[in-house]
Amino acid sequence: CLRSADVPLRQLGLALLGLLPIQLLLGIGNVVFTLPLKVAIAHNGVAAVLSPTLVSVHYRLLLLRSPPS
């Protein structure tokens, strides 16, 4: 159960909701337009932000799951 006080997790979740569709559309754009440099760079840039965001969400969910010691 998510605690309502875990505001950073909510913010990270909202960031994921914004980043994932952008990443998906850029990936599709890479395929459709046969890898234009600007789209490929944007795709890599979003991936550079998306990866640590996913790691942070995973870490926070692990913290919520394990009982405090």
Side-chain angles (χ1 to χ4, degrees), residues 23-69:
Q23 185 71 344
L24 180 66
L25 291 173
L26 286 169
I28 291 169
N30 274 329
V31 173
V32 170
F33 300 118
T34 60
L35 247 76
L37 185 59
K38 290 181 182 179
V39 178
I41 290 172
H43 185 67
N44 287 338
V46 173
V49 176
L50 186 60
S51 295
T53 305
L54 283 168
V55 170
S56 297
V57 167
H58 180 69
Y59 176 73
R60 288 196 173 273
L61 288 174
L62 285 176
L63 286 179
L64 287 176
R65 201 169 159 197
S66 60
S69 47

Side-chain angles (χ1 to χ4, degrees), residues 11-25 46 50:
Q11 291 172 341
L12 288 169
L14 290 174
L16 284 178
L17 282 175
L19 289 170
L20 283 172
I22 293 170
Q23 185 71 344
L24 180 66
L25 291 173
V46 173
L50 186 60

